Amino acid sequence: MKTRKLQLSVLDLVPVLDGADAPNALGQAVELARMAERLGYRRYWVAEHHDMPGLACTSPEVLLAHVGAKTERIRLGSGALLLPHYKPLKVAESFHMLASLYPGRIDIGLGRAPGGSGEASLALSGNFIENVGKMPELLDDLMRLLQEKYEYDGRPVAARPIPPEPPWPWLLGTNKKSAAYAARFGTGYAFGQFMSDSSGEEALRAYRDGFVPSPLCPEPCALVAVGIVCADTDEEAERLASSELFRGATAAKEGEGRSPTARRLLAGSPGSLRGQLESLALLYGIDEFIVVTMIADYRARLRSYELLGQLLSDG
């Protein structure tokens, strides 16, 4: 039987590991992106977090501008930019700038989490809960700006510079509510399995069933974010996974009533992982996984992505 053709992408939380500082962590981000491009990964996304000592990326658009200058082809995006913190015009301007610098390569992945403590959220944007309640309005404004259809007080307002190709919009989430937003506003949908209590089957089904086409995303497009540790042997992968960073956010939960795919961390050699990923791809009806690998050693993390990249060359 012919194996399923997989597409793989990178989700980088830009960890600051023991013995490193922020410049080291950001340098590792560039190295990972360059290697991912060389191996054939489709996207490199960076996440947004605030006042978290172990993570170095507070501004995805700034880091992506730097990574773009160090790469040539790989798509670059946020995974996610936390929209409730910001005015849509500023977000659209920043990503239009990126899309003008790197035409045809920019994704704008959006989320509605705070990305840090309550105090950090208040310092950044005030009442975050109130801002989250405005998510439909924020999304509507942003989509209009990305399509050059936005007006304020009856007058057109453009998010300049206008790129030759607009950023590809995505909504990231872990439940049917985020899926419903993605469907309603006609964006791609990325289900965060690595930080979810449940399988993504229902969320992905809700997204596809409710999808309303938009000029920026004319048909449903979904991917799944999954935690993976890959090593030369299954035993080595399991050893690395047992000491994986933030394991509480990605480890499998085996409590009663939980889906077998819920919060699963995949660990193994490339050969072992191929079968696991192909099974999940069939279950979810997708072809692309975006991979987050939180190993407490930069070299082992790069090696994990390098070995996993064999599935791209072999597939």
Side-chain angles (χ1 to χ4, degrees):
M1 183 176 68
K2 186 178 180 180
T3 58
R4 191 180 188 95
K5 178 66 175 178
L6 294 175
Q7 292 183 324
L8 298 176
S9 296
V10 173
L11 174 58
D12 192 358
L13 305 189
V14 196
V16 182
L17 302 182
D18 288 344
D21 58 13
N24 295 144
L26 295 167
Q28 287 291 326
V30 173
E31 186 173 353
L32 175 56
R34 288 169 61 89
M35 186 186 74
E37 178 175 77
R38 187 171 65 251
L39 294 173
Y41 283 80
R42 189 177 188 189
R43 312 173 199 275
Y44 172 82
W45 284 4
V46 291
E48 174 186 345
H49 295 90
H50 298 281
D51 194 26
M52 297 184 71
L55 301 176
C57 184
T58 55
S59 180
E61 61 271 35
V62 174
L63 179 54
L64 293 173
H66 179 61
V67 172
K70 303 292 185 178
T71 54
E72 297 179 355
R73 299 174 306 279
I74 195 168
R75 292 194 67 92
L76 305 172
S78 51
L81 181 134
L82 306 176
L83 186 57
H85 286 310
Y86 308 110
K87 293 289 189 179
L89 177 58
K90 183 58 179 176
V91 172
E93 287 177 338
S94 295
F95 278 79
H96 271 187
M97 177 71 81
L98 287 169
S100 298
L101 289 167
Y102 310 113
R105 295 179 57 194
I106 300 301
D107 298 326
I108 177 169
L110 305 164
R112 55 194 182 97
S117 67
E119 292 78 11
S121 295
L122 287 167
L124 182 62
S125 61
N127 189 329
F128 185 78
I129 299 301
E130 181 180 332
N131 294 341
V132 169
K134 299 176 182 176
M135 191 70 174
E137 177 184 339
L138 296 172
L139 283 169
D140 185 58
D141 286 349
L142 181 57
M143 289 296 285
R144 290 178 185 277
L145 284 159
L146 295 177
Q147 298 173 65
E148 301 177 54
K149 296 179 179 179
Y150 179 76
E151 293 185 352
Y152 190 88
D153 280 347
R155 302 283 303 266
V157 175
R160 301 185 187 279
I162 305 299
E165 182 177 325
W168 186 348
W170 293 80
L171 201 65
L172 283 66
T174 59
N175 53 45
K176 290 198 290 185
K177 187 166 187 177
S178 57
Y181 282 147
R184 173 180 169 186
F185 291 99
T187 75
Y189 181 57
F191 178 76
Q193 178 182 292
F194 77 100
M195 56 182 181
S196 176
D197 285 324
S198 61
S199 166
E201 295 164 84
E202 289 188 5
L204 289 164
R205 187 182 305 115
Y207 167 65
R208 295 186 180 106
D209 289 347
F211 185 78
V212 178
S214 73
L216 300 181
C217 188
E219 59 185 32
C221 186
L223 57 80
V224 172
V226 61
I228 296 180
V229 174
C230 188
D232 290 280
T233 66
D234 291 344
E235 293 75 17
E236 176 64 6
E238 292 291 347
R239 184 190 70 78
L240 290 169
S242 68
S243 59
E244 179 233 3
L245 291 176
F246 302 0
R247 187 169 176 81
T250 60
K253 297 292 185 179
E254 299 178 354
E256 184 177 355
R258 291 188 183 272
S259 161
T261 61
R263 298 177 72 122
R264 175 179 292 174
L265 169 66
L266 305 181
S269 64
S272 297
L273 288 169
R274 176 186 291 280
Q276 296 179 65
L277 288 173
E278 287 178 346
S279 295
L280 282 177
L282 287 170
L283 177 68
Y284 288 145
I286 62 165
D287 294 306
E288 183 175 355
F289 292 96
I290 189 162
V291 178
V292 56
T293 298
M294 292 294 284
I295 301 173
D297 178 89
Y298 287 126
R299 184 171 297 180
R301 186 176 76 138
L302 283 173
R303 179 62 174 163
S304 178
Y305 280 108
E306 180 181 27
L307 289 169
L308 194 62
Q310 292 181 9
L311 303 188
L312 299 170
S313 59
D314 296 345

